[in-house]
Amino acid sequence: MKGAHARSLYPHVLSALRECAAALAAGADGDASASCRQTTRIPYDSHPACSPHTPRILHVSRSLRTLHPPCDSHALGDSGAPCDSRDSHALGDSGTPCDSRAPHALSRPLRILDMGCGTGALAQQVLEAFPSCELSGVDLSARMLSCAAARLGSRARLACADSERLPFPDGLFDLVYCNDAFHHYPDPHRAAFQAWRVLAAGGAFVIGDCWQPAPARALMNAFMRHSSEGDVRIYSESELRAILSPWFSRVEWRRVDFRSCLAIAVK
């Protein structure tokens, strides 16, 4: 059964990514981009649900360091508020700063990030679905990443890094996805903030994860602390919305079946 649940989510995550990519290409997310510009910038460390813990970046591959210079995980401006992704230092193909306010007519390849890429099985399918995309992946496990590197070769840039402290500049990606990993994060609020930070305006964060009805969820969460699999918590719809809503202008939650869910959060 190892990995069976993650694999069952692949088609749903891929479908959501295609949906979000189509919206970006068509400019159908214009309303979301407008509302994003009106979103109040909340200082991350002042958010009551967030802890000050900042995990350490274990390693960033040489090719990743070259293309994506690391930035501070808080991405806080002088006022203490998160840096607006419009002020990102991400560089475009010409070497000039990217303006994340620009309409997503996407005359360039999609930039996609896999948070918790594991062995790269889903990343391989993402590359097949978006053959011209620029794909990056992070995972805490060096052994997982070695499998992903063997599977993906030079088609993806991989980094052994913490999803709660992503080694990327603000506003770099168009799409970020996290499959069957969000329930492993000790600080999900920080992980949600990091996904928001590295997304360009109008970009989307897609989460595929486990879900259970309330009685079963309460029972499983009671035993999570004894898990040897690194599980932390299975979230209800309202809990997942509460984690994502402080940062994202629009959050959609879908139940996939009796044990899975999908969330799409638009910046």
Side-chain angles (χ1 to χ4, degrees):
M1 293 177 62
K2 293 288 186 181
H5 183 260
R7 289 191 294 272
S8 72
L9 282 164
Y10 288 0
H12 303 285
V13 172
L14 284 168
S15 178
L17 289 173
R18 289 190 184 98
E19 179 184 323
C20 295
L24 288 172
D29 63 331
D31 291 341
S33 295
S35 62
C36 172
R37 288 193 290 272
Q38 298 169 5
T39 301
T40 301
R41 303 300 181 185
I42 307 170
Y44 177 72
D45 284 339
S46 69
H47 196 283
C50 302
S51 79
H53 174 63
T54 304
R56 176 174 62 93
I57 297 177
L58 298 182
H59 169 73
V60 180
S61 67
R62 181 177 302 172
S63 62
L64 190 67
R65 283 199 302 266
T66 301
L67 185 65
H68 306 317
C71 68
D72 183 73
S73 64
H74 293 275
L76 298 181
D78 295 335
S79 63
C83 296
D84 192 319
S85 59
R86 291 172 293 180
D87 298 325
S88 170
H89 296 292
L91 297 183
D93 296 334
S94 64
T96 57
C98 295
D99 186 351
S100 61
R101 291 172 296 178
H104 280 282
L106 292 187
S107 56
R108 55 166 177 76
L110 275 171
R111 292 170 180 159
I112 304 176
L113 172 64
D114 185 334
M115 283 177 61
C117 63
T119 61
L122 178 54
Q124 185 175 39
Q125 295 191 25
V126 169
L127 286 168
E128 293 170 358
F130 305 97
S132 63
C133 78
E134 295 177 359
L135 181 66
S136 299
V138 297
D139 201 278
L140 268 180
S141 169
R143 292 179 65 186
M144 289 275 198
L145 284 173
S146 66
C147 294
R151 184 192 300 268
L152 304 174
S154 61
R155 294 181 296 165
R157 300 175 181 88
L158 304 176
C160 192
D162 196 329
S163 293
E164 295 176 9
R165 192 184 176 200
L166 294 174
F168 306 106
D170 298 354
L172 181 63
F173 297 101
D174 304 299
L175 300 172
V176 175
Y177 67 91
C178 177
N179 186 61
D180 209 32
F182 201 78
H183 65 281
H184 288 296
Y185 298 150
D187 190 343
H189 297 273
R190 185 176 293 277
F193 163 70
Q194 285 291 303
W196 172 87
R197 181 184 65 75
V198 300
L199 276 168
F205 180 32
V206 175
I207 299 174
D209 213 356
C210 50
W211 178 86
Q212 292 285 338
R217 185 172 62 251
L219 181 62
M220 292 185 71
N221 283 337
F223 287 94
M224 283 290 191
R225 69 189 70 179
H226 307 295
S227 170
S228 61
E229 301 291 329
D231 301 311
V232 174
R233 184 175 181 82
I234 298 175
Y235 299 102
S236 67
E237 175 185 355
S238 60
E239 288 173 329
L240 196 51
R241 286 183 180 275
I243 291 168
L244 297 169
S245 293
W247 306 109
F248 294 91
S249 64
R250 187 174 76 243
V251 177
E252 180 181 351
W253 186 93
R254 306 172 186 172
R255 197 178 83 181
V256 174
D257 51 34
F258 283 105
R259 59 176 190 153
S260 307
C261 69
L262 194 73
I264 303 173
V266 178
K267 180 171 178 177

